[in-house]
Amino acid sequence: MTREEKVLNSLLQHPLLKDKYGLSMESQVTLDQAMNSEKRIIKLLALLSQKATNIHSNKSDKEFLREIMKELNS
Amino acid sequence: MIITNIHIENFKCYAGDNILNPGSRLNLLVGENGEGKTVFYDAILWLINGSHQQDIREIVSAFAIKNNTEGKGSISVTIRGEDADKNKIKLSRSFRWRETHSILQKDSPEELRAFLTKPNGERQTLKEQAAIQLFFPPELMKYSLFKGEGELRILENEDSLKNLVNLFSDARFFERVYDATKTIQGALKTVVDRSVAKNKKAKVDLEKLQKTEAANGRKKASILNKIKDNERQRENAEAIINDAENAIDKAEELKSTTDSIKEKKEEIERVKKIINAKPSLTNSLFDDLWILKDFEPIFMEFKSKVEEADVARRKIQSEFDIEQGRKQGIAEGISTLLDSEDTPLDINVPSQQVMEELIRDEHCKVCDRPAPKGSSQYEFMRGRLEKFLESQKPKSNRDIEANQEQALKHTFIRELISFNTIFSQKTLDMRELGIKIKESEKFLESRRNDLFQLESELDELEQERNNIVSQSDDSEETLSRKLKDHRGASNDLSDWKDDYRDLQGELRKIEEDISANQTKIDKLRDSSAGASTEKNNLTLINDALKIIEETKKKELLTFVQKLTEVSNDYYKRMNFDNFTGRISIELEDGKGLNPRINIFVITDERKMKAKHLNKSTETSVHLSVLFAVSKLAESSDLFERTPIFMDAPVSSFGETKRGQFLEVLSELENQIFITSKDYTQIDASGKISLSKPLNQIPGQNKFWLRLKRPFNDEQLSTLNTEIQTL
């Protein structure tokens, strides 16, 4: 599992997802699976998790933010 | 990075070429005091930091200078290592030196050179700092080099542990995610607020709320600064208290003794004053009366004789008075008879009647001649009659006495009796004086005894004070200062703690205000028309932010719990069969995304900072946490494992505990260099040998650092340490 996926799966365990969004993660999720999820919150968390290992990321901050906003507005 | 070779040339007591090929785990360097262990550590430090303004004679080997016939040479420290990718790195610091007319100077600039050789043989030059960082990353440098036990205290700085935990736990990744999410939140808020501002009233309300938000933010920042300052002040106070604490018992004992000495001296002065104030007995001794000191018996004899004389006198007087009385009685009888006509006069003495007749008739019937008035005959007769009549008058006692004869003509009894009275009083006065003098002497004697006692007690107290000072590592002045500092710092700390509570209260209040204000802003945004997409996105981002923040805290907590568990494991093994309590590593509440991390030791449900324990326990706490961090960091991909150098880190440990400590070190994956004066011994003849068989000495690789013999213990230029691989 990559660093980003570890971070993502930790985030997906938060009780708010279950309480407010009715989501329950029973197994580990890959980044691709999360990015393709129908649930916006999961997609958003997946996108944000990419920031975990920023030093290895090829995206600039600007590109990254644009991608997030695009996803949010879609 | 693993160090594969250390080469020390002409550095201090390491003359010539000295090579050490370490193992990848525990490397134990043993040696007696003063034979090169700490210099080995200094060589590594010189490699990393350089000479700065140091006099080169302080680092160039005196042995090498003296024995070099050319008067010139070089000094260098080189380490070679290999990283996880099998790259070989060489790092070397050196310069050339020359001695001319006893003046030692650099013959070339001091250089730090670094090379990297890849597995394929390709070689490249590295920038110096980059090379140093390959061996000792800056984030880890201060956790890799420890000179003595004191430097292990670095973990007492809560920021140190916080930094280490952030470095090696996954919590740091969440921080990056959080920062990115916060940026997006800000952008969305701007869009939504623009939509809110389209409504005039909502715009005014929003601006007002945003102003309040900004003001609250400033206020909160100010409170946080005050809290930070308060924490710093408390740390300073705690440091002073801690520094003084080891000496505090002695200092208080010293103060108490000093106060007692002062009181004793005052008491002595008071007694001396009393003694000096007592009237001089000299006056009394030379008083008029004192001459009569032994007078009483003489006086008693005198008194007795006077009384006897007085008795005799009165007896004589009494007999005389009786005789006189008898005579007076006869005279009075005769006088009575003369008054009566019946009593015939003596033939030669005319009676009163006859004389009166003669005078009346102016004719002397005795000589039968006329005696006219005024004549001598007349006067003679009148005179006789007057005398006669006078003699018949009743006489007073005094007159009787005056006319009486004295029994004793001169007696001086009266004077003697008055002397009796005077001397009797003097005798009483003398007795009183005698008593007074005795009492005074007794009083003074008693005071002198008191004084002697007080002076003995003073001597004892001063001896006690000297003992206290001699048993302490500090001078009397330092102990007094430490006590004063401790008391001052304790009071300050108490005040700072009160202030801290107040500030925390203010912080809570402002956070409540911020939260309440935020709720109003959110409500305003929600209720405004338009930008519904942005509003929904903002809600999503807010939720994401909350999830990230709380997950990070949870990760941190998990790591800290794990760290506590692993630390206690090392701690127990290092202190096997000793009472130690247990380590507790805790996050401070309410510190946001970067809470401070504190290390405590819990014993009997009492929580203490490690610095308040005895030295060896404190050291073992720090080492345990350090090793635990190192262990947990093995799963981190951030850094390669760095070598650790420790110069005599456990000098306060007893032999058993040192053995346990080294056993724990042996099991660590890190490459460790540790110097120790254990495992060598000196016999009666001065010969040094190993104190245990080699197989009983812990460590993957063992080295013996020792001075070549013979050497002159007063000449630096005879010292030359050799490194022997055991």
Side-chain angles (χ1 to χ4, degrees):
Chain A
M1 195 185 281
T2 64
R3 174 65 62 200
E4 295 89 338
E5 282 170 346
K6 269 179 88 176
V7 170
L8 173 62
N9 278 285
S10 296
L11 293 171
L12 293 178
Q13 298 304 313
H14 196 283
L16 185 68
L17 287 167
K18 187 178 178 187
D19 297 340
K20 189 171 177 181
Y21 296 92
L23 300 167
S24 176
M25 302 290 138
E26 281 166 12
S27 57
Q28 302 286 328
V29 166
T30 66
L31 207 57
D32 286 338
Q33 283 171 334
M35 292 282 268
N36 293 320
S37 171
E38 288 172 359
K39 301 288 177 187
R40 292 180 75 216
I41 185 71
I42 292 178
K43 222 167 164 179
L44 177 62
L45 289 174
L47 279 167
L48 290 168
S49 297
Q50 288 181 54
K51 260 300 179 183
T53 51
N54 186 46
I55 53 170
H56 300 301
S57 169
N58 292 328
K59 286 183 207 157
S60 69
D61 281 358
K62 225 174 175 177
E63 278 175 357
F64 178 76
L65 284 172
R66 216 179 291 135
E67 195 177 334
I68 299 270
M69 295 302 286
K70 187 179 165 188
E71 174 50 44
L72 283 172
N73 293 330
S74 65
Chain B
M1 178 71 68
I2 299 289
I3 295 176
T4 54
N5 173 274
I6 299 176
H7 178 191
I8 304 174
E9 180 205 8
N10 292 332
F11 181 85
K12 294 193 179 182
C13 60
Y14 289 89
D17 294 300
N18 297 272
I19 293 170
L20 187 143
N21 294 312
S24 60
R25 304 270 290 273
L26 176 61
N27 296 277
L28 182 63
L29 286 75
V30 303
E32 279 297 318
N33 286 335
E35 302 226 352
K37 299 191 302 298
T38 301
V39 173
F40 179 86
Y41 181 89
D42 288 345
I44 302 299
L45 283 184
W46 182 70
L47 171 66
I48 297 167
N49 300 320
S51 302
H52 297 287
Q53 300 303 317
Q54 223 170 359
D55 179 359
I56 63 168
R57 211 176 264 279
E58 288 179 19
I59 53 171
V60 176
S61 162
F63 186 99
I65 296 168
K66 186 179 175 190
N67 292 286
N68 191 308
T69 50
E70 293 173 23
K72 58 182 179 178
S74 60
I75 171 176
S76 66
V77 175
T78 307
I79 56 174
R80 290 176 173 78
E82 191 173 295
D83 65 15
D85 297 327
K86 302 286 181 209
N87 295 312
K88 289 183 172 34
I89 295 99
K90 177 183 169 186
L91 180 65
S92 178
R93 185 179 293 278
S94 64
F95 63 82
R96 296 196 61 76
W97 52 266
R98 170 194 291 278
E99 190 186 33
T100 317
H101 305 302
S102 303
I103 296 172
L104 188 70
Q105 55 196 16
K106 281 183 180 172
D107 210 19
S108 70
E110 187 177 303
E111 279 185 312
L112 181 68
R113 292 194 290 177
F115 303 100
L116 182 143
T117 307
K118 292 186 177 177
N120 62 9
E122 185 189 326
R123 191 166 135 117
Q124 63 187 82
T125 307
L126 297 173
K127 283 200 172 139
E128 303 114 10
Q129 289 307 316
I132 292 174
Q133 285 170 19
L134 286 176
F135 286 97
F136 303 105
E139 298 93 333
L140 300 179
M141 175 89 82
K142 56 185 173 182
Y143 307 112
S144 305
L145 299 158
F146 298 99
K147 191 169 186 175
E149 255 177 293
E151 289 193 0
L152 287 167
R153 285 217 183 126
I154 193 167
L155 288 179
E156 275 301 323
N157 178 334
E158 290 98 353
D159 283 340
S160 283
L161 188 56
K162 186 176 87 175
N163 292 339
L164 272 180
V165 167
N166 274 336
L167 211 49
F168 292 115
S169 72
D170 289 342
R172 68 185 184 282
F173 300 117
F174 293 91
E175 215 164 303
R176 289 188 200 131
V177 179
Y178 182 87
D179 291 341
T181 313
K182 207 72 178 137
T183 310
I184 296 163
Q185 184 194 46
L188 283 171
K189 276 182 181 175
T190 308
V191 172
V192 171
D193 288 347
R194 248 187 257 136
S195 148
V196 167
K198 284 176 183 167
N199 179 308
K200 267 189 185 164
K201 183 178 180 308
K203 183 181 175 186
V204 167
D205 289 344
L206 183 65
E207 278 170 4
K208 209 170 156 186
L209 288 168
Q210 282 171 338
K211 263 194 184 143
T212 306
E213 186 182 39
N216 284 344
R218 284 192 296 274
K219 197 171 172 187
K220 182 177 174 178
S222 165
I223 293 169
L224 287 173
N225 273 340
K226 285 180 187 171
I227 288 175
K228 202 170 172 184
D229 186 54
N230 179 284
E231 283 164 351
R232 189 177 49 77
Q233 297 285 5
R234 280 190 288 127
E235 272 168 31
N236 286 344
E238 280 171 355
I240 290 170
I241 290 168
N242 186 54
D243 181 49
E245 240 167 28
N246 292 336
I248 200 69
D249 288 341
K250 282 271 173 268
E252 280 180 344
E253 216 181 315
L254 178 67
K255 172 130 195 339
S256 168
T257 307
T258 304
D259 288 345
S260 298
I261 287 172
K262 191 181 167 198
E263 281 169 18
K264 202 59 70 178
K265 283 182 176 172
E266 282 168 2
E267 181 68 17
I268 286 170
E269 282 311 305
R270 194 184 64 80
V271 171
K272 279 182 177 171
K273 264 191 188 152
I274 290 171
I275 291 171
N276 292 338
K278 208 72 181 123
S280 171
L281 294 178
T282 314
N283 291 342
S284 301
L285 284 172
F286 289 97
D287 186 87
D288 291 340
L289 291 177
W290 193 241
I291 276 174
L292 302 175
K293 184 170 104 49
D294 294 319
F295 167 70
E296 186 164 337
I298 300 170
F299 167 67
M300 294 310 287
E301 198 181 331
F302 169 81
K303 186 177 168 207
S304 166
K305 288 200 187 310
V306 167
E307 281 170 357
E308 271 176 36
D310 191 42
V311 164
R313 178 195 66 82
R314 281 187 280 115
K315 193 175 173 191
I316 292 171
Q317 187 68 42
S318 171
E319 286 169 359
F320 178 78
D321 287 342
I322 290 170
E323 178 60 27
Q324 291 295 99
R326 192 181 60 77
K327 283 183 181 174
Q328 188 179 342
I330 291 172
E332 279 177 358
I334 291 173
S335 169
T336 304
L337 278 174
L338 282 176
D339 276 338
S340 159
E341 293 281 339
D342 295 330
T343 305
L345 288 173
D346 190 330
I347 191 166
N348 292 322
V349 178
S351 68
Q352 181 180 347
Q353 186 186 350
V354 172
M355 280 195 282
E356 282 173 353
E357 191 181 311
L358 291 176
I359 288 167
R360 195 175 55 243
D361 293 341
E362 293 180 18
H363 187 83
C364 175
K365 292 182 180 164
V366 173
C367 58
D368 196 26
R369 280 197 286 182
K373 212 175 196 174
S375 69
S376 59
Q377 290 88 352
Y378 181 88
E379 291 300 322
F380 176 74
M381 284 193 300
R382 199 179 63 79
R384 287 292 304 274
L385 180 64
E386 278 176 13
K387 272 190 189 167
F388 180 80
L389 289 174
E390 188 65 36
S391 72
Q392 300 308 299
K393 275 186 191 170
K395 294 193 182 345
S396 68
N397 285 341
R398 194 167 49 83
D399 290 336
I400 292 171
E401 277 184 30
N403 289 331
Q404 271 182 349
E405 286 177 32
Q406 297 293 322
L408 296 161
K409 199 168 183 178
H410 300 290
T411 62
F412 304 107
I413 286 293
R414 197 173 291 125
E415 287 81 359
L416 290 175
I417 288 171
S418 73
F419 281 148
N420 247 3
T421 309
I422 293 167
F423 288 144
S424 190
Q425 185 56 47
K426 294 284 184 197
T427 307
L428 283 175
D429 290 345
M430 267 312 303
R431 281 186 198 158
E432 272 181 28
L433 180 66
I435 291 170
K436 202 165 135 193
I437 288 172
K438 272 194 184 138
E439 281 176 355
S440 188
E441 280 180 356
K442 205 172 160 187
F443 177 81
L444 286 174
E445 179 73 22
S446 181
R447 295 289 79 70
R448 282 191 205 103
N449 287 340
D450 289 346
L451 186 63
F452 180 77
Q453 180 66 25
L454 287 170
E455 283 171 347
S456 295
E457 286 168 7
L458 179 65
D459 284 341
E460 280 174 18
L461 283 171
E462 283 174 341
Q463 184 59 42
E464 198 182 310
R465 181 174 63 183
N466 292 341
N467 287 344
I468 291 168
V469 174
S470 65
Q471 284 165 16
S472 165
D473 293 334
D474 298 307
S475 68
E476 188 175 339
E477 202 185 315
T478 305
L479 278 175
S480 298
R481 180 188 56 75
K482 281 189 176 181
L483 180 63
K484 198 172 155 193
D485 288 350
H486 185 275
R487 285 181 180 172
S490 299
N491 289 337
D492 287 346
L493 186 63
S494 177
D495 292 339
W496 287 119
K497 279 181 177 172
D498 289 339
D499 289 348
Y500 182 75
R501 271 192 290 274
D502 293 339
L503 286 169
Q504 288 292 341
E506 281 180 43
L507 184 64
R508 270 192 297 276
K509 173 80 180 46
I510 197 69
E511 282 174 345
E512 279 167 13
D513 291 345
I514 289 171
S515 179
N517 197 64
Q518 185 59 48
T519 304
K520 286 180 189 169
I521 292 175
D522 291 341
K523 222 174 167 178
L524 192 62
R525 283 176 182 145
D526 287 342
S527 62
S528 71
S532 56
T533 308
E534 282 74 15
K535 276 192 259 186
N536 290 337
N537 290 343
L538 186 57
T539 305
L540 210 61
I541 284 291
N542 286 343
D543 287 345
L545 210 56
K546 183 175 167 158
I547 290 169
I548 293 162
E549 186 176 4
E550 289 177 7
T551 307
K552 189 221 166 176
K553 274 191 186 157
K554 190 179 156 197
E555 287 295 315
L556 201 58
L557 196 60
T558 306
F559 183 86
V560 164
Q561 283 166 349
K562 187 81 186 148
L563 185 64
T564 304
E565 193 187 313
V566 176
S567 297
N568 274 307
D569 182 48
Y570 285 120
Y571 190 53
K572 293 280 178 248
R573 283 161 58 194
M574 254 191 271
N575 292 285
F576 180 71
D577 209 28
N578 286 334
F579 175 74
T580 51
R582 59 185 169 82
I583 294 173
S584 176
I585 303 174
E586 298 173 11
L587 296 173
E588 261 189 34
D589 289 333
K591 290 282 183 180
L593 220 52
N594 279 308
R596 191 179 286 177
I597 303 173
N598 295 315
I599 305 173
F600 297 104
V601 173
I602 299 183
T603 62
D604 298 330
E605 307 317 315
R606 220 184 117 203
K607 205 156 70 170
M608 289 185 285
K609 288 216 169 171
K611 61 189 176 188
H612 295 145
L613 302 164
N614 67 59
K615 203 167 183 181
S616 79
T617 308
E618 184 192 2
T619 301
S620 60
V621 167
H622 293 141
L623 285 168
S624 303
V625 175
L626 213 55
F627 295 152
V629 169
S630 179
K631 177 91 182 149
L632 293 179
E634 283 169 14
S635 57
S636 156
D637 55 6
L638 194 60
F639 303 107
E640 281 195 42
R641 259 188 241 116
T642 56
I644 298 175
F645 285 81
M646 293 185 178
D647 179 40
V650 291
S651 42
S652 70
F653 284 14
E655 192 185 329
T656 310
K657 199 164 171 175
R658 276 201 296 273
Q660 288 159 354
F661 165 69
L662 289 172
E663 288 297 329
V664 167
L665 283 190
S666 303
E667 294 164 17
L668 289 178
E669 299 284 331
N670 303 67
Q671 185 180 39
I672 300 175
F673 295 83
I674 182 165
T675 63
S676 171
K677 66 177 174 59
D678 295 322
Y679 308 110
T680 56
Q681 61 191 7
I682 304 178
D683 66 19
S685 66
K687 189 174 169 222
I688 302 176
S689 59
L690 293 176
S691 58
K692 280 189 178 175
L694 201 58
N695 59 3
Q696 287 182 20
I697 299 176
Q700 182 191 33
N701 288 56
K702 301 147 218 188
F703 306 91
W704 190 354
L705 308 179
R706 57 181 177 181
L707 287 172
K708 284 182 181 167
R709 261 90 178 155
F711 64 86
N712 185 322
D713 57 10
E714 290 183 10
Q715 285 183 345
L716 215 54
S717 57
T718 63
L719 302 185
N720 184 6
T721 298
E722 60 177 355
I723 301 174
Q724 183 185 343
T725 304
L726 297 173

